[in-house]
Amino acid sequence: MSAFDAVLFDLDGTLCHRTQDTAAVYAAAFEHVGATPFGEPADLWAALDGSPDHDDWTGYIGAGFARLAAQNSRTDVDPLALAAALREFVDDSAVAFTEGAKAALDSAATCGAVGVVTNGPRQRQEPKLRALGVADRFDSVVYAADLRRKKPHALPFHRALAELETSAERALYVGNSLAYDVAGAQNAGLPVAWLRSEESAAAPYEPEYVIDSLSELPTILEGQR
């Protein structure tokens, strides 16, 4: 018998990853505004500050473009126009399951309720669930960007637990971010299975479980770890 009555998942980087060619999207944004490209997508990601601001996505990405423009002495480009163009070319339905995600969802369903707690807004995250063919598989989907507080605050987790009528200690949260998923779930009292990615060490956080693939999740749910 599983130690859990419910399993909650993060979405981006946990259940799914983007399949769209980011270099092509980046180039298309510059072409749209009639500007010669500077930098690379990785340079833009590095220039962003903190977690995405879903209430002002253009301003958030625009600030990154502004920093990148300054680094490249490009005062001839409007960073906000670039950000708006980039958003226009992003396809939120261009996603695929991460390794082991399908099996993890099947295993979670044998425990009880299954949910998603994502920091993104419904308008951007729901197309991903539909594209993956799992929009109807969850007993609760919490779009934290549409709430007053996002992860790592406890509110999104409390919302999911209330909808599932499950206690925190009986619900496992699965996510790939230490600062948002592990911190947020533990703030709400949930044990966490951290999907390790490029980060090699969990410290200073202490997730209850550490996995390198969702294919390892069934062993946790079956009480073998």
Side-chain angles (χ1 to χ4, degrees):
M1 178 179 294
S2 174
F4 305 104
D5 297 327
V7 183
L8 301 172
F9 293 89
D10 170 52
L11 183 56
D12 297 303
T14 299
L15 283 179
C16 73
H17 61 84
R18 288 190 176 275
T19 58
Q20 196 171 15
D21 185 339
T22 55
V25 173
Y26 193 82
F30 279 92
E31 182 178 359
H32 186 77
V33 300
T36 302
F38 54 84
E40 302 290 339
D43 301 322
L44 175 61
W45 312 150
L48 297 176
D49 183 24
S51 62
D53 182 352
H54 296 291
D55 293 328
D56 184 16
W57 197 91
T58 298
Y60 171 73
I61 298 296
F65 270 126
R67 297 183 185 103
L68 199 55
Q71 294 167 15
N72 288 270
S73 301
R74 290 293 300 274
T75 59
D76 59 313
V77 179
D78 180 352
L80 291 175
L82 264 178
L86 186 72
R87 180 67 189 95
E88 184 174 330
F89 289 106
V90 170
D91 180 4
D92 289 320
S93 67
V95 293
F97 281 115
T98 56
E99 178 189 355
K102 288 184 178 180
L105 287 174
D106 290 339
S107 181
T110 66
C111 295
V114 183
V116 167
V117 177
T118 171
N119 260 357
R122 178 188 291 271
Q123 65 178 3
R124 292 190 59 189
Q125 303 299 70
E126 199 168 51
K128 298 174 186 177
L129 297 177
R130 289 198 299 267
L132 294 169
V134 295
D136 298 326
R137 286 199 60 175
F138 300 104
D139 302 291
S140 171
V141 179
V142 175
Y143 303 99
D146 299 331
L147 303 179
R148 290 187 302 107
R149 294 287 184 269
K150 300 181 291 185
K151 299 180 291 186
H153 292 288
L155 176 62
F157 299 96
H158 289 162
R159 174 68 61 88
L161 292 173
E163 291 180 357
L164 298 177
E165 299 182 341
T166 303
S167 63
E169 63 272 14
R170 296 288 300 177
L172 178 69
Y173 188 69
V174 186
N176 67 312
S177 169
L178 289 170
Y180 293 95
D181 296 322
V182 173
Q186 291 186 334
N187 283 338
L190 284 77
V192 186
W194 173 48
L195 178 59
R196 178 166 45 194
S197 53
E198 74 282 354
E199 299 162 289
S200 59
Y205 299 95
E206 296 182 1
E208 285 74 11
Y209 306 94
V210 178
I211 57 178
D212 293 304
S213 166
L214 288 185
S215 61
E216 300 173 46
L217 187 64
T219 62
I220 295 174
L221 300 180
E222 293 164 8
Q224 300 177 28
R225 287 181 60 178

